[in-house]
Amino acid sequence: MNKKVGIVSLGCAKNQVDAEMLLFTLRGRGYTIVDDPAKADAVIVNTCGFIDSAKQESIDEIIELGNLKREGKIKAIIVTGCLAERYQDEITKQLYEIDAAVGIGANEQIADVVEQVLGGNGTLELFPDKLDLPLEGGRVLSTPFYTAYLKIAEGCDNKCTFCAIPMIRGKFRSRKIENLIEEAKGLAADGVRELNIIAQDTTRYGEDLYGKPSLDKLLTELCKIDGLHWIRVLYCYPDSITDELIDVMAREEKIVNYIDLPLQHCNSEILRKMHRRGDRASLTALLNKMREKIPNVIFRSTFITGFPGETEEQFEELAEFAKEMNFQRLGCFAYSQEEGTPAAKMPDQLDDDVKQQRADIIMEHQQQVMAEYCESLLDTDIEVLVEGFDRLAECWYGRTYADAPEVDGCVFFTSPQKPQIGSFVTVHITDYLGCDPYGEIID
């Protein structure tokens, strides 16, 4: 066959795992996988369709590939992922560069789709039931060899009023514990040392299969796997943080003291309109309980400013909450009015500049919090996962337990000898650059 296929995967790590499964299917059918799209016969764009900025990134990528197609460098463009699933009635009409638009339920058929479009059979549209998206299957890792994502569930039942994910990805579906353990063992055998647990809502894992949240049981079994050194839990939901989960995180050494907990807001009225439960007092109590039980825990969270009807007083409550809780890792985003979601039809939509100004205020304070965190690391020794050498800075870099892949910062350090990529070393912190600690290796 000797046909070459490239994949451009955009958006979140969950989408990245889907792309890795697509690569495995294509390679199994004899296609050659290339990193440079310009050298491919067909390019698959695995799109994100969550918010406006992500949608625009996907559209820009398709248009740019269309230029390569007109130049004769590639023959076909196939679009899949969330943007295709969300706008299946419009996407090929709006973006004429596309040769095939396929929904996420067609992922197992991707090799047939490539064959058809390279055969010149006209524009193809294929949108089976989104629940046909496979939960199990082989992957070709696109991450560095020492780190990988483990997607433990698909879809979401939370139905937050601002979010389009439930209508794009379908209902929440957990994978069986035994299948996840088997996959994790295979990743560890291939050299993965850091395992990052992901789903639309990781803390709801197991409700559909076992009748109650079972992330604590899954983590306990994962910790028994030889070779894994760090296990990181991402995309958690505050309502499903159980005492059992907190106890497992506190007890198991392999589970890093880091939890990604997107809270979105703290005001009770705004949370109610978001179709989320809780208030400032309950969220404060949860975070304080976790800090008490899990030493040196790092919290990553996200906030939304400018939700419909958010008053100045409600925003100030959010800003005060951010200051009080002192999140070491925090992202704040202006509300995006997504069509098809209940929040998009709510009255009292705020002006874009007001929404962004409020987000900027939160993030300006966050710079101070991150600087204070770096200050707290001075003259301490921390464990670092070595990731590479920065030629511009002329030193090595890596991540600590406080740094999730792609989303957080890194640590720069010097070393008299060349450390092994993917190894864990101890670094003595002597300074920081911006929000990144700097030091020297001591082992």
mmCIF file of all heavy atoms in Angstrom, residues 159-195:
data_model
loop_
_atom_site.group_PDB
_atom_site.id
_atom_site.type_symbol
_atom_site.label_atom_id
_atom_site.label_comp_id
_atom_site.label_asym_id
_atom_site.label_seq_id
_atom_site.Cartn_x
_atom_site.Cartn_y
_atom_site.Cartn_z
ATOM 1 N N LYS A 159 -23.972 17.619 32.730
ATOM 2 C CA LYS A 159 -24.869 18.589 32.085
ATOM 3 C C LYS A 159 -24.734 20.003 32.659
ATOM 4 O O LYS A 159 -25.743 20.688 32.934
ATOM 5 C CB LYS A 159 -26.319 18.116 32.170
ATOM 6 C CG LYS A 159 -26.587 16.850 31.358
ATOM 7 C CD LYS A 159 -28.045 16.435 31.398
ATOM 8 C CE LYS A 159 -28.323 15.285 30.439
ATOM 9 N NZ LYS A 159 -27.482 14.089 30.660
ATOM 10 N N CYS A 160 -23.522 20.451 32.840
ATOM 11 C CA CYS A 160 -23.299 21.850 33.195
ATOM 12 C C CYS A 160 -23.879 22.730 32.082
ATOM 13 O O CYS A 160 -23.706 22.426 30.893
ATOM 14 C CB CYS A 160 -21.811 22.132 33.366
ATOM 15 S SG CYS A 160 -21.028 21.153 34.683
ATOM 16 N N THR A 161 -24.555 23.803 32.441
ATOM 17 C CA THR A 161 -25.309 24.571 31.452
ATOM 18 C C THR A 161 -24.438 25.308 30.446
ATOM 19 O O THR A 161 -24.921 25.714 29.388
ATOM 20 C CB THR A 161 -26.219 25.594 32.152
ATOM 21 O OG1 THR A 161 -25.418 26.462 32.971
ATOM 22 C CG2 THR A 161 -27.254 24.896 33.025
ATOM 23 N N PHE A 162 -23.154 25.500 30.753
ATOM 24 C CA PHE A 162 -22.255 26.204 29.845
ATOM 25 C C PHE A 162 -21.524 25.263 28.898
ATOM 26 O O PHE A 162 -20.814 25.722 27.998
ATOM 27 C CB PHE A 162 -21.213 27.006 30.635
ATOM 28 C CG PHE A 162 -20.402 26.159 31.594
ATOM 29 C CD1 PHE A 162 -19.295 25.448 31.160
ATOM 30 C CD2 PHE A 162 -20.752 26.074 32.931
ATOM 31 C CE1 PHE A 162 -18.559 24.665 32.036
ATOM 32 C CE2 PHE A 162 -20.036 25.302 33.810
ATOM 33 C CZ PHE A 162 -18.933 24.591 33.370
ATOM 34 N N CYS A 163 -21.680 23.964 29.077
ATOM 35 C CA CYS A 163 -20.789 22.994 28.438
ATOM 36 C C CYS A 163 -21.502 22.183 27.366
ATOM 37 O O CYS A 163 -22.606 21.655 27.582
ATOM 38 C CB CYS A 163 -20.212 22.063 29.506
ATOM 39 S SG CYS A 163 -19.041 20.862 28.854
ATOM 40 N N ALA A 164 -20.837 22.024 26.211
ATOM 41 C CA ALA A 164 -21.395 21.268 25.091
ATOM 42 C C ALA A 164 -20.933 19.817 25.074
ATOM 43 O O ALA A 164 -21.371 19.047 24.212
ATOM 44 C CB ALA A 164 -20.995 21.944 23.768
ATOM 45 N N ILE A 165 -20.069 19.428 26.008
ATOM 46 C CA ILE A 165 -19.473 18.088 25.963
ATOM 47 C C ILE A 165 -20.514 16.966 25.997
ATOM 48 O O ILE A 165 -20.429 16.012 25.214
ATOM 49 C CB ILE A 165 -18.443 17.917 27.101
ATOM 50 C CG1 ILE A 165 -17.223 18.808 26.838
ATOM 51 C CG2 ILE A 165 -18.005 16.467 27.228
ATOM 52 C CD1 ILE A 165 -16.462 18.500 25.562
ATOM 53 N N PRO A 166 -21.546 17.008 26.859
ATOM 54 C CA PRO A 166 -22.507 15.898 26.862
ATOM 55 C C PRO A 166 -23.178 15.670 25.512
ATOM 56 O O PRO A 166 -23.392 14.523 25.107
ATOM 57 C CB PRO A 166 -23.515 16.323 27.936
ATOM 58 C CG PRO A 166 -22.727 17.172 28.871
ATOM 59 C CD PRO A 166 -21.795 17.945 27.971
ATOM 60 N N MET A 167 -23.505 16.752 24.799
ATOM 61 C CA MET A 167 -24.162 16.558 23.506
ATOM 62 C C MET A 167 -23.165 16.154 22.417
ATOM 63 O O MET A 167 -23.560 15.580 21.406
ATOM 64 C CB MET A 167 -24.936 17.813 23.088
ATOM 65 C CG MET A 167 -24.109 19.038 22.794
ATOM 66 S SD MET A 167 -25.195 20.430 22.346
ATOM 67 C CE MET A 167 -23.996 21.756 22.148
ATOM 68 N N ILE A 168 -21.880 16.405 22.651
ATOM 69 C CA ILE A 168 -20.870 15.994 21.676
ATOM 70 C C ILE A 168 -20.404 14.563 21.924
ATOM 71 O O ILE A 168 -20.324 13.750 20.993
ATOM 72 C CB ILE A 168 -19.645 16.941 21.721
ATOM 73 C CG1 ILE A 168 -20.036 18.375 21.342
ATOM 74 C CG2 ILE A 168 -18.534 16.437 20.789
ATOM 75 C CD1 ILE A 168 -18.926 19.381 21.540
ATOM 76 N N ARG A 169 -20.129 14.229 23.174
ATOM 77 C CA ARG A 169 -19.507 12.945 23.498
ATOM 78 C C ARG A 169 -20.463 11.886 24.025
ATOM 79 O O ARG A 169 -20.082 10.716 24.138
ATOM 80 C CB ARG A 169 -18.392 13.148 24.538
ATOM 81 C CG ARG A 169 -17.376 14.222 24.214
ATOM 82 C CD ARG A 169 -16.544 13.956 22.983
ATOM 83 N NE ARG A 169 -15.664 12.816 23.114
ATOM 84 C CZ ARG A 169 -14.589 12.597 22.334
ATOM 85 N NH1 ARG A 169 -14.282 13.458 21.382
ATOM 86 N NH2 ARG A 169 -13.857 11.526 22.482
ATOM 87 N N GLY A 170 -21.697 12.283 24.381
ATOM 88 C CA GLY A 170 -22.664 11.290 24.837
ATOM 89 C C GLY A 170 -22.583 11.021 26.324
ATOM 90 O O GLY A 170 -21.894 11.698 27.078
ATOM 91 N N LYS A 171 -23.313 9.994 26.749
ATOM 92 C CA LYS A 171 -23.429 9.690 28.172
ATOM 93 C C LYS A 171 -22.125 9.139 28.735
ATOM 94 O O LYS A 171 -21.254 8.652 28.002
ATOM 95 C CB LYS A 171 -24.557 8.688 28.396
ATOM 96 C CG LYS A 171 -24.297 7.304 27.824
ATOM 97 C CD LYS A 171 -25.464 6.365 28.111
ATOM 98 C CE LYS A 171 -25.178 4.950 27.595
ATOM 99 N NZ LYS A 171 -26.298 4.024 27.873
ATOM 100 N N PHE A 172 -22.008 9.201 30.048
ATOM 101 C CA PHE A 172 -20.812 8.735 30.749
ATOM 102 C C PHE A 172 -20.733 7.209 30.699
ATOM 103 O O PHE A 172 -21.694 6.511 31.024
ATOM 104 C CB PHE A 172 -20.863 9.201 32.205
ATOM 105 C CG PHE A 172 -19.602 8.944 32.983
ATOM 106 C CD1 PHE A 172 -18.530 9.796 32.887
ATOM 107 C CD2 PHE A 172 -19.499 7.839 33.815
ATOM 108 C CE1 PHE A 172 -17.370 9.568 33.618
ATOM 109 C CE2 PHE A 172 -18.349 7.598 34.549
ATOM 110 C CZ PHE A 172 -17.276 8.466 34.439
ATOM 111 N N ARG A 173 -19.563 6.711 30.279
ATOM 112 C CA ARG A 173 -19.344 5.265 30.166
ATOM 113 C C ARG A 173 -17.965 4.922 30.725
ATOM 114 O O ARG A 173 -16.946 5.358 30.196
ATOM 115 C CB ARG A 173 -19.413 4.806 28.710
ATOM 116 C CG ARG A 173 -20.765 5.017 28.037
ATOM 117 C CD ARG A 173 -20.729 4.543 26.596
ATOM 118 N NE ARG A 173 -19.878 5.370 25.760
ATOM 119 C CZ ARG A 173 -19.218 4.933 24.690
ATOM 120 N NH1 ARG A 173 -19.272 3.653 24.350
ATOM 121 N NH2 ARG A 173 -18.487 5.761 23.972
ATOM 122 N N SER A 174 -17.938 4.138 31.794
ATOM 123 C CA SER A 174 -16.667 3.734 32.401
ATOM 124 C C SER A 174 -16.118 2.485 31.730
ATOM 125 O O SER A 174 -16.871 1.645 31.217
ATOM 126 C CB SER A 174 -16.861 3.440 33.895
ATOM 127 O OG SER A 174 -17.341 4.558 34.592
ATOM 128 N N ARG A 175 -14.801 2.358 31.765
ATOM 129 C CA ARG A 175 -14.146 1.120 31.350
ATOM 130 C C ARG A 175 -13.989 0.196 32.566
ATOM 131 O O ARG A 175 -13.907 0.654 33.694
ATOM 132 C CB ARG A 175 -12.775 1.423 30.750
ATOM 133 C CG ARG A 175 -12.819 2.280 29.493
ATOM 134 C CD ARG A 175 -11.423 2.656 29.043
ATOM 135 N NE ARG A 175 -10.636 1.467 28.750
ATOM 136 C CZ ARG A 175 -9.310 1.473 28.570
ATOM 137 N NH1 ARG A 175 -8.644 2.613 28.692
ATOM 138 N NH2 ARG A 175 -8.669 0.366 28.300
ATOM 139 N N LYS A 176 -13.946 -1.088 32.326
ATOM 140 C CA LYS A 176 -13.809 -2.046 33.415
ATOM 141 C C LYS A 176 -12.420 -1.947 34.039
ATOM 142 O O LYS A 176 -11.428 -1.706 33.351
ATOM 143 C CB LYS A 176 -14.043 -3.463 32.904
ATOM 144 C CG LYS A 176 -15.470 -3.723 32.449
ATOM 145 C CD LYS A 176 -15.629 -5.161 31.959
ATOM 146 C CE LYS A 176 -17.062 -5.434 31.522
ATOM 147 N NZ LYS A 176 -17.230 -6.820 31.019
ATOM 148 N N ILE A 177 -12.370 -2.151 35.360
ATOM 149 C CA ILE A 177 -11.103 -2.065 36.081
ATOM 150 C C ILE A 177 -10.072 -3.027 35.496
ATOM 151 O O ILE A 177 -8.907 -2.660 35.290
ATOM 152 C CB ILE A 177 -11.309 -2.343 37.584
ATOM 153 C CG1 ILE A 177 -11.964 -1.137 38.253
ATOM 154 C CG2 ILE A 177 -9.978 -2.659 38.277
ATOM 155 C CD1 ILE A 177 -12.158 -1.278 39.751
ATOM 156 N N GLU A 178 -10.487 -4.259 35.205
ATOM 157 C CA GLU A 178 -9.516 -5.245 34.710
ATOM 158 C C GLU A 178 -8.923 -4.832 33.370
ATOM 159 O O GLU A 178 -7.731 -5.085 33.098
ATOM 160 C CB GLU A 178 -10.161 -6.630 34.600
ATOM 161 C CG GLU A 178 -11.441 -6.688 33.784
ATOM 162 C CD GLU A 178 -12.697 -6.557 34.636
ATOM 163 O OE1 GLU A 178 -12.647 -5.848 35.658
ATOM 164 O OE2 GLU A 178 -13.720 -7.173 34.263
ATOM 165 N N ASN A 179 -9.701 -4.158 32.505
ATOM 166 C CA ASN A 179 -9.169 -3.692 31.227
ATOM 167 C C ASN A 179 -8.178 -2.555 31.426
ATOM 168 O O ASN A 179 -7.151 -2.473 30.732
ATOM 169 C CB ASN A 179 -10.302 -3.244 30.318
ATOM 170 C CG ASN A 179 -11.216 -4.372 29.894
ATOM 171 O OD1 ASN A 179 -10.866 -5.547 30.052
ATOM 172 N ND2 ASN A 179 -12.379 -4.055 29.363
ATOM 173 N N LEU A 180 -8.480 -1.680 32.356
ATOM 174 C CA LEU A 180 -7.574 -0.564 32.641
ATOM 175 C C LEU A 180 -6.264 -1.055 33.244
ATOM 176 O O LEU A 180 -5.185 -0.554 32.898
ATOM 177 C CB LEU A 180 -8.254 0.425 33.581
ATOM 178 C CG LEU A 180 -9.432 1.196 32.967
ATOM 179 C CD1 LEU A 180 -10.247 1.886 34.045
ATOM 180 C CD2 LEU A 180 -8.914 2.222 31.954
ATOM 181 N N ILE A 181 -6.334 -2.012 34.129
ATOM 182 C CA ILE A 181 -5.119 -2.560 34.729
ATOM 183 C C ILE A 181 -4.254 -3.235 33.671
ATOM 184 O O ILE A 181 -3.018 -3.069 33.645
ATOM 185 C CB ILE A 181 -5.473 -3.553 35.853
ATOM 186 C CG1 ILE A 181 -6.214 -2.831 36.989
ATOM 187 C CG2 ILE A 181 -4.211 -4.232 36.391
ATOM 188 C CD1 ILE A 181 -5.475 -1.675 37.597
ATOM 189 N N GLU A 182 -4.891 -3.971 32.775
ATOM 190 C CA GLU A 182 -4.136 -4.636 31.704
ATOM 191 C C GLU A 182 -3.430 -3.608 30.818
ATOM 192 O O GLU A 182 -2.255 -3.773 30.465
ATOM 193 C CB GLU A 182 -5.077 -5.491 30.856
ATOM 194 C CG GLU A 182 -4.381 -6.232 29.729
ATOM 195 C CD GLU A 182 -5.330 -7.066 28.883
ATOM 196 O OE1 GLU A 182 -6.556 -7.035 29.144
ATOM 197 O OE2 GLU A 182 -4.862 -7.731 27.943
ATOM 198 N N GLU A 183 -4.147 -2.519 30.461
ATOM 199 C CA GLU A 183 -3.519 -1.496 29.630
ATOM 200 C C GLU A 183 -2.380 -0.814 30.381
ATOM 201 O O GLU A 183 -1.297 -0.571 29.816
ATOM 202 C CB GLU A 183 -4.546 -0.458 29.183
ATOM 203 C CG GLU A 183 -3.926 0.626 28.305
ATOM 204 C CD GLU A 183 -4.922 1.639 27.770
ATOM 205 O OE1 GLU A 183 -6.136 1.464 28.001
ATOM 206 O OE2 GLU A 183 -4.467 2.598 27.127
ATOM 207 N N ALA A 184 -2.599 -0.496 31.648
ATOM 208 C CA ALA A 184 -1.564 0.178 32.435
ATOM 209 C C ALA A 184 -0.329 -0.696 32.589
ATOM 210 O O ALA A 184 0.809 -0.198 32.546
ATOM 211 C CB ALA A 184 -2.115 0.576 33.799
ATOM 212 N N LYS A 185 -0.519 -1.982 32.764
ATOM 213 C CA LYS A 185 0.634 -2.889 32.859
ATOM 214 C C LYS A 185 1.426 -2.885 31.561
ATOM 215 O O LYS A 185 2.672 -2.913 31.573
ATOM 216 C CB LYS A 185 0.159 -4.304 33.186
ATOM 217 C CG LYS A 185 -0.270 -4.507 34.633
ATOM 218 C CD LYS A 185 -0.708 -5.949 34.887
ATOM 219 C CE LYS A 185 -1.055 -6.175 36.353
ATOM 220 N NZ LYS A 185 -1.526 -7.564 36.608
ATOM 221 N N GLY A 186 0.725 -2.862 30.431
ATOM 222 C CA GLY A 186 1.413 -2.805 29.149
ATOM 223 C C GLY A 186 2.194 -1.520 28.969
ATOM 224 O O GLY A 186 3.319 -1.527 28.457
ATOM 225 N N LEU A 187 1.613 -0.394 29.404
ATOM 226 C CA LEU A 187 2.319 0.882 29.312
ATOM 227 C C LEU A 187 3.569 0.872 30.190
ATOM 228 O O LEU A 187 4.641 1.324 29.768
ATOM 229 C CB LEU A 187 1.382 2.015 29.742
ATOM 230 C CG LEU A 187 0.206 2.313 28.807
ATOM 231 C CD1 LEU A 187 -0.779 3.271 29.469
ATOM 232 C CD2 LEU A 187 0.693 2.887 27.484
ATOM 233 N N ALA A 188 3.440 0.346 31.402
ATOM 234 C CA ALA A 188 4.594 0.285 32.311
ATOM 235 C C ALA A 188 5.685 -0.610 31.734
ATOM 236 O O ALA A 188 6.878 -0.293 31.842
ATOM 237 C CB ALA A 188 4.154 -0.214 33.688
ATOM 238 N N ALA A 189 5.288 -1.726 31.122
ATOM 239 C CA ALA A 189 6.270 -2.632 30.524
ATOM 240 C C ALA A 189 7.009 -1.974 29.372
ATOM 241 O O ALA A 189 8.160 -2.326 29.076
ATOM 242 C CB ALA A 189 5.572 -3.907 30.039
ATOM 243 N N ASP A 190 6.367 -0.998 28.719
ATOM 244 C CA ASP A 190 6.997 -0.282 27.609
ATOM 245 C C ASP A 190 7.800 0.929 28.070
ATOM 246 O O ASP A 190 8.292 1.695 27.234
ATOM 247 C CB ASP A 190 5.931 0.166 26.606
ATOM 248 C CG ASP A 190 5.339 -1.002 25.826
ATOM 249 O OD1 ASP A 190 6.016 -2.048 25.733
ATOM 250 O OD2 ASP A 190 4.215 -0.862 25.317
ATOM 251 N N GLY A 191 7.908 1.138 29.372
ATOM 252 C CA GLY A 191 8.764 2.206 29.886
ATOM 253 C C GLY A 191 8.058 3.414 30.446
ATOM 254 O O GLY A 191 8.702 4.391 30.856
ATOM 255 N N VAL A 192 6.722 3.396 30.488
ATOM 256 C CA VAL A 192 5.994 4.536 31.057
ATOM 257 C C VAL A 192 6.210 4.577 32.569
ATOM 258 O O VAL A 192 5.996 3.583 33.258
ATOM 259 C CB VAL A 192 4.484 4.437 30.727
ATOM 260 C CG1 VAL A 192 3.690 5.454 31.532
ATOM 261 C CG2 VAL A 192 4.265 4.654 29.234
ATOM 262 N N ARG A 193 6.641 5.727 33.068
ATOM 263 C CA ARG A 193 6.866 5.896 34.502
ATOM 264 C C ARG A 193 5.805 6.798 35.146
ATOM 265 O O ARG A 193 5.580 6.730 36.339
ATOM 266 C CB ARG A 193 8.252 6.523 34.751
ATOM 267 C CG ARG A 193 9.409 5.793 34.071
ATOM 268 C CD ARG A 193 9.656 4.417 34.662
ATOM 269 N NE ARG A 193 9.851 4.432 36.094
ATOM 270 C CZ ARG A 193 10.965 4.807 36.716
ATOM 271 N NH1 ARG A 193 12.003 5.254 36.009
ATOM 272 N NH2 ARG A 193 11.064 4.751 38.029
ATOM 273 N N GLU A 194 5.207 7.669 34.342
ATOM 274 C CA GLU A 194 4.174 8.589 34.830
ATOM 275 C C GLU A 194 2.868 8.287 34.112
ATOM 276 O O GLU A 194 2.791 8.342 32.891
ATOM 277 C CB GLU A 194 4.585 10.041 34.573
ATOM 278 C CG GLU A 194 3.516 11.046 34.991
ATOM 279 C CD GLU A 194 3.829 12.456 34.518
ATOM 280 O OE1 GLU A 194 4.312 12.619 33.378
ATOM 281 O OE2 GLU A 194 3.588 13.407 35.289
ATOM 282 N N LEU A 195 1.823 7.992 34.883
ATOM 283 C CA LEU A 195 0.510 7.671 34.323
ATOM 284 C C LEU A 195 -0.471 8.760 34.752
ATOM 285 O O LEU A 195 -0.659 9.008 35.950
ATOM 286 C CB LEU A 195 0.046 6.308 34.830
ATOM 287 C CG LEU A 195 -1.107 5.640 34.073
ATOM 288 C CD1 LEU A 195 -0.704 5.322 32.640
ATOM 289 C CD2 LEU A 195 -1.538 4.368 34.795
#
